[in-house]
Amino acid sequence: MKGEPMSARMKAMKKWLIDKEITQAEIARRLGISQTSVYNVMNGKMKSRRVVELLLELGCPPEILEQKAA
C-alpha cells in the first residue's frame, strides 16, 4: 500500500527489473495474468510458481526471491 516502507526484497526486485529493462506489465502479459498479481508475488503477498519460474528464467537471482518479504 502507499505510504508503507518498501521491503528489501521489493527494492532488490525493482532494481533487477530496471537493470534488465523488464516491466511487471511484460511479465504479466507473458503469463496472461494481471500486473497486480505480479506485484503481489514480487512483494511476497501472494505465491505463484509460474511467476517465480518466469523470473528465474529471465535471470532473476534466486537469492532475491528467497529474501523475506517484510
Side-chain angles (χ1 to χ4, degrees):
M1 281 194 168
K2 290 185 179 186
E4 291 181 12
M6 193 181 307
S7 69
R9 173 187 168 138
M10 194 60 183
K11 285 180 187 174
M13 290 291 304
K14 283 187 169 238
K15 181 182 181 326
W16 176 78
L17 286 172
I18 290 167
D19 290 348
K20 295 296 180 182
E21 298 180 352
I22 300 169
T23 65
Q24 292 177 28
E26 178 183 342
I27 292 167
R29 269 193 307 276
R30 288 177 73 164
L31 294 174
I33 61 175
S34 72
Q35 184 176 341
T36 301
S37 293
V38 174
Y39 172 83
N40 285 334
V41 171
M42 289 174 49
N43 203 26
K45 293 183 179 190
M46 191 172 109
K47 293 184 179 196
S48 169
R49 189 186 83 241
R50 291 177 61 219
V51 173
V52 170
E53 286 175 353
L54 180 56
L55 289 170
L56 291 171
E57 185 180 310
L58 293 171
C60 182
E63 55 271 14
I64 291 176
L65 296 170
E66 293 166 0
Q67 286 183 21
K68 188 169 174 126

